[in-house]
Amino acid sequence: MELVAARSDARVQLADFLAGIARKVASDELNGHGDPVLTALLRPYLGPDSVWGDAGSGLRLGTAGVNSAVQRAC
């Protein structure tokens, strides 16, 4: 592994940019005002064992871990 300065490496800049977009889309979905098209684009990048605290948005995002997380909370 090699550490690089984010300002000088376009790969790191792109990864940060995409991670920020994914966080915003997921946050919007969790807060009940997500965009269905953007949510569908994010879905393939979520792990099958992702844990999501809200059943409705978790199901829209396609997270498999939502049911077990919600059941444990109840």
Side-chain angles (χ1 to χ4, degrees), residues 6-48:
R7 291 181 184 217
S8 63
D9 192 323
R11 297 171 298 177
V12 176
Q13 292 174 1
L14 181 60
D16 285 346
F17 178 71
L18 294 175
I21 291 171
R23 185 208 52 81
K24 174 72 168 126
V25 169
S27 179
D28 286 349
E29 189 62 50
L30 183 60
N31 290 316
H33 48 83
D35 181 310
V37 174
L38 294 177
T39 299
L41 291 172
L42 179 60
R43 201 172 293 126
Y45 297 99
L46 298 173

